[in-house]
């Protein structure tokens, strides 16, 4: 056996790995940031870092949710609640149907909802029900889970020098298209859309989504619509759900989450909607219900979200829960406004942050995203997320998250301005 610096060649039998994983570019973005921050902290233990990187909540769970959790735990102490219905308890799905959809004029059946432990998982797992030969399209920059999970599944070739995988259609999202590109010329099987968008903070208009739905219907494509940040939309005329768009029930799957809207990043609860009309086909052309396929997958690989967590999620829709969680969203959006205004008026080029908890800024002095990350860490002790981590078109941009206290956000803005001479 010869051992090089990275590769060990083996001459004896050994179990083969899924080599698609070897195509992945570096580590997953947020652990990589975590490693750099940890290294900086151990070299500068006195530094008072302000973290505006990963989009993780900073406010504690709202009182109505804590009360629901306590009550559910007490209940479980005198009454058995074992395996729940794998698609979610009716006490939660009824609330979801009434509050997230009926209030916006959308009718979703109970068996079209699949409660899960997170939209990260859902957006990564949904590709399993599609053929490995399916072509796919992402807006660029994009949430890295969409791309990486398809790479792992073998739906792509290798990445080029800029990190574009062969076999994926990348649609650049830029200031010219308001960071919400329209459909491509060519036919593609699967398209991931995210609105409000992570990372750019842009939001899709009704017209933009209608364009996508029309395109998907004409091409027999499936839209995977990630609406994890819908609660941050400020303009009531903007669509929260893709099912507000005519024709979407035939071609779209939607993902929603309690993570950011109600502080569930550590509590874990989300759901996916797959309408009965959404179809795929077999190699021989037979139509197959995507709802039925996912139902089979979910029942096989998942055993429901814990009872008390679903009780807590249902409390998000109670009058107190709705009011308290809306106040939390408003708190983060106040931060987003301060960052937009503070950096924008200092001459930085900023986008997003009006209907999303993310501000997307052009790096100053044409720095690369990672160079700006390092300089910001070093000179301002502020952590953000390099745009290039979200895709090749993210190079030259930087994402700042609004999840932190007002005080820390104000201090971070001052430090960024001082560090870059504004
Ligand atoms: C992000 O910062 O992009 C998000 O926190 C990632 C996630 O929701 O998984």
């Amino acid at each position: 056996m010869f051992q090089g610096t990275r590769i060990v060649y083996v001459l004896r039998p050994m179990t083969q790995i899924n080599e698609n994983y070897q195509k992945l570019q570096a580590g997953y973005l947020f652990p990589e940031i975590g490693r750099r921050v940890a290294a900086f902290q151990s070299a500068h233990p006195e530094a008072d870092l302000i973290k505006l990187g990963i989009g993780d909540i900073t406010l504690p769970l709202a009182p109505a949710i804590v009360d629901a959790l306590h009550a559910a735990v007490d209940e479980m102490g005198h009454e058995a609640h074992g395996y729940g219905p794998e698609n979610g308890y009716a006490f939660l799905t009824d609330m979801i149907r009434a509050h997230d959809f009926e209030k916006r004029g959308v009718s979703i059946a109970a068996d079209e909802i699949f409660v899960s432990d997170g939209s990260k998982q859902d957006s990564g797992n949904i590709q399993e029900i599609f053929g490995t030969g399916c072509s796919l399209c992402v807006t660029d920059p994009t949430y890295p889970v969409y791309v990486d999970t398809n790479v792992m599944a073998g739906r792509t070739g290798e990445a080029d020098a800029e990190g574009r995988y062969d076999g994926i259609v990348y649609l650049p999202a830029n200031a010219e298209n308001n960071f919400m590109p329209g459909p491509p010329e060519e036919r593609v099987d699967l398209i991931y859309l995210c609105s409000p968008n992570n990372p750019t903070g842009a939001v899709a208009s009704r017209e933009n989504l209608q364009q996508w739905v029309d395109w998907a219907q004409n091409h027999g494509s499936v839209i995977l619509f990630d609406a994890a940040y819908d609660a941050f939309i400020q303009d009531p005329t903007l669509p929260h759900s893709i099912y507000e768009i005519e024709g979407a029930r035939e071609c779209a799957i939607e993902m929603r989450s309690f993570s950011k809207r109600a502080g569930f990043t550590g509590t874990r609860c989300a759901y996916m909607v797959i309408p009965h009309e959404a179809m795929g086909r077999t190699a021989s052309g037979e139509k197959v219900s995507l709802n039925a396929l996912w139902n089979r997958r979910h029942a096989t690989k998942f055993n429901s979200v814990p009872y008390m967590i679903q009780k807590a999620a249902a409390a998000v829709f109670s009058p107190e829960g709705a009011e308290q969680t809306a106040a939390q969203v408003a708190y983060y959006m106040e931060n987003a406004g301060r960052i937009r205004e503070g950096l924008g008026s200092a001459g930085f080029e900023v986008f997003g942050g009006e209907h999303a908890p993310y501000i997307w800024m052009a790096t100053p002095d044409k720095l690369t995203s990672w160079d700006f990350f390092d300089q910001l860490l070093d000179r301002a002790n502020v952590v953000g997320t390099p745009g290039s981590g979200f895709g090749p078109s993210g190079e030259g941009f930087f994402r700042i998250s609004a999840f932190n206290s007002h005080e820390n956000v104000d201090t971070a803005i001052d430090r960024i301005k001082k560090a870059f001479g504004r």
Side-chain angles (χ1 to χ4, degrees), residues 155-351:
R155 254 179 224 104
T156 74
E158 299 288 341
D160 67 14
E162 288 185 295
R164 276 188 194 83
Y165 287 95
D166 190 28
I168 297 184
V169 175
Y170 290 83
L171 299 177
N174 48 41
E176 286 79 63
N177 54 29
N178 292 323
F179 295 93
M180 276 291 161
E185 298 289 319
E186 65 264 58
R187 179 181 183 282
V188 180
D189 290 300
L190 299 171
I191 159 75
Y192 290 83
L193 293 180
C194 176
S195 176
N197 189 264
N198 179 12
T200 66
V203 68
S205 66
R206 210 164 277 279
E207 295 69 35
N208 180 262
L209 288 185
Q210 188 69 63
Q211 239 191 330
W212 274 106
V213 167
D214 293 347
W215 173 87
Q217 284 206 307
N218 289 338
H219 291 83
S221 309
V222 174
I223 297 172
L224 303 168
F225 187 69
D226 185 347
Y229 297 92
D230 84 288
F232 294 82
I233 295 175
Q234 304 295 300
D235 175 350
T237 66
L238 286 168
H240 283 235
S241 166
I242 197 154
Y243 305 118
E244 292 176 49
I245 307 300
E246 203 185 323
R249 285 185 60 86
E250 285 92 57
C251 62
I253 289 174
E254 180 163 299
M255 290 161 262
R256 296 278 196 108
S257 172
F258 292 92
S259 282
K260 317 288 160 107
R261 84 194 266 185
F264 273 56
T265 50
T267 312
R268 312 305 304 153
C269 195
Y271 66 89
M272 184 144 64
V273 177
I274 311 186
H276 294 303
E277 291 90 326
M279 295 284 164
R281 61 157 181 87
T282 62
S284 58
E286 185 193 344
K287 273 185 166 184
V288 178
S289 153
L290 298 180
N291 178 294
L293 274 189
W294 183 254
N295 194 28
R296 183 69 174 86
R297 190 266 176 211
H298 207 56
T300 306
K301 295 196 177 183
F302 193 61
N303 245 341
S304 80
V305 171
Y307 176 76
M308 61 270 236
I309 302 297
Q310 293 196 55
K311 278 286 186 185
V316 172
F317 300 104
S318 69
E320 307 76 40
E323 194 184 320
Q324 293 161 5
T325 54
Q328 295 188 332
V329 166
Y331 185 88
Y332 296 130
M333 286 310 288
E334 163 71 24
N335 285 345
R338 291 184 189 198
I339 299 168
R340 240 187 98 85
E341 162 58 24
L343 295 183
S345 63
F348 292 98
E349 202 182 356
V350 292
F351 305 93

Side-chain angles (χ1 to χ4, degrees), residues 28 30 53-56 120 143 198 229 260 358 390 399:
Y28 186 61
F30 293 106
I54 190 164
D56 197 2
K120 181 177 189 178
Y143 182 41
N198 179 12
Y229 297 92
K260 317 288 160 107
Y358 297 126
F390 298 100
R399 193 191 77 176

Side-chain angles (χ1 to χ4, degrees), residues 81-224:
H81 285 283
Y83 297 126
E86 55 277 346
N87 295 349
Y89 284 99
F91 64 72
L92 176 57
T93 53
D94 286 350
M95 287 290 198
I96 290 171
R97 293 168 67 205
H99 293 273
D100 281 354
F101 295 102
E102 274 159 33
K103 279 188 180 164
R104 298 198 61 84
V106 174
S107 174
I108 298 292
D111 62 355
E112 292 177 323
I113 296 174
F114 299 86
V115 174
S116 78
D117 59 347
S119 280
K120 181 177 189 178
Q121 290 87 317
D122 283 345
S123 64
N125 291 334
I126 188 64
Q127 48 77 29
E128 281 184 31
I129 64 167
F130 297 101
T132 46
C134 281
S135 53
L136 64 131
C137 175
V138 292
T139 58
D140 173 26
T142 196
Y143 182 41
V145 173
Y146 311 151
V147 169
D148 286 4
T149 53
N150 278 285
V151 174
M152 291 169 178
R155 254 179 224 104
T156 74
E158 299 288 341
D160 67 14
E162 288 185 295
R164 276 188 194 83
Y165 287 95
D166 190 28
I168 297 184
V169 175
Y170 290 83
L171 299 177
N174 48 41
E176 286 79 63
N177 54 29
N178 292 323
F179 295 93
M180 276 291 161
E185 298 289 319
E186 65 264 58
R187 179 181 183 282
V188 180
D189 290 300
L190 299 171
I191 159 75
Y192 290 83
L193 293 180
C194 176
S195 176
N197 189 264
N198 179 12
T200 66
V203 68
S205 66
R206 210 164 277 279
E207 295 69 35
N208 180 262
L209 288 185
Q210 188 69 63
Q211 239 191 330
W212 274 106
V213 167
D214 293 347
W215 173 87
Q217 284 206 307
N218 289 338
H219 291 83
S221 309
V222 174
I223 297 172
L224 303 168

